[in-house]
Amino acid sequence: MNYWLMKSEPDVYGIADLKRDRQTIWDGVRNYQARNFLRSMQPGDLAFFYHSNATPLGIAGMMKVVESGIADPTQFDSTSSYYDVKSTKELPRWQTVCVEFVEEFSHLVSLDTLRSQFSPDQLLVVKPGNRLSVIPVDPAIAQRILTLT
């Protein structure tokens, strides 16, 4: 099992939305490195749900990958802001995963808290300027994050 951190803006889709929906596909990722991380995910992997572009920033809960290797449907939707004219159903450029709700933390683990506990080498989300929406988390670091919840 691997651990990940996946970012979403809570006013677009937050942990409360996932709790309500129980499962969702993680669509709209348009960064090749983040896409490659999504391709690496396997069912059973756990991911921290990180609220980005919010006040405060931080980890709001946990989710689990239940299906991997899904072609992101937004790449084929010409009305979507994530439409990719170069992508075809035969050769999709963007893949995603289906995740399910595991838990909402009793309190947000803020970016400030994460910065006080981890270096950028340990946890990429604390690196200034990091904009990746999907990042791997070392299992030992994941266990330390869980102690902060």
Side-chain angles (χ1 to χ4, degrees):
M1 176 180 58
N2 295 305
Y3 289 90
W4 306 90
L5 184 143
M6 300 167 71
K7 297 178 182 177
S8 181
E9 297 176 13
D11 62 338
V12 174
Y13 195 88
I15 191 74
D17 298 303
L18 181 58
K19 185 176 184 178
R20 177 197 64 225
D21 297 343
R22 307 306 296 169
Q23 287 190 356
T24 193
I25 61 165
W26 204 262
D27 60 3
V29 173
R30 293 298 181 270
N31 172 284
Y32 286 106
Q33 187 174 8
R35 185 240 10 225
N36 291 342
F37 289 142
L38 286 167
R39 284 181 172 174
S40 299
M41 292 181 181
Q42 296 298 315
D45 285 356
L46 292 174
F48 293 100
F49 195 123
Y50 184 92
H51 281 173
S52 63
N53 200 23
T55 304
L57 302 167
I59 298 172
M62 197 71 142
M63 54 193 172
K64 179 171 58 174
V65 176
V66 294
E67 186 179 350
S68 59
I70 301 168
D72 183 336
T74 61
Q75 68 191 311
F76 309 121
D77 180 357
S78 61
T79 65
S80 170
S81 59
Y82 299 112
Y83 177 65
D84 185 338
V85 69
K86 295 180 181 178
S87 194
T88 66
K89 295 203 184 227
E90 296 77 26
L91 291 170
R93 294 172 69 178
W94 305 103
Q95 283 76 38
T96 192
V97 296
C98 180
V99 294
E100 79 177 3
F101 176 80
V102 172
E103 74 175 301
E104 181 175 6
F105 296 152
S106 60
H107 65 278
L108 188 85
V109 181
S110 72
L111 179 59
D112 288 340
T113 298
L114 294 171
R115 283 187 174 138
S116 74
Q117 299 292 315
F118 304 101
S119 71
D121 290 338
Q122 295 172 312
L123 187 61
L124 191 57
V125 75
V126 304
K127 182 178 181 179
N130 171 57
R131 301 206 25 98
L132 281 178
S133 60
V134 179
I135 59 174
V137 178
D138 182 90
I141 300 300
Q143 293 307 310
R144 286 182 51 200
I145 293 170
L146 290 169
T147 67
L148 301 172
T149 66

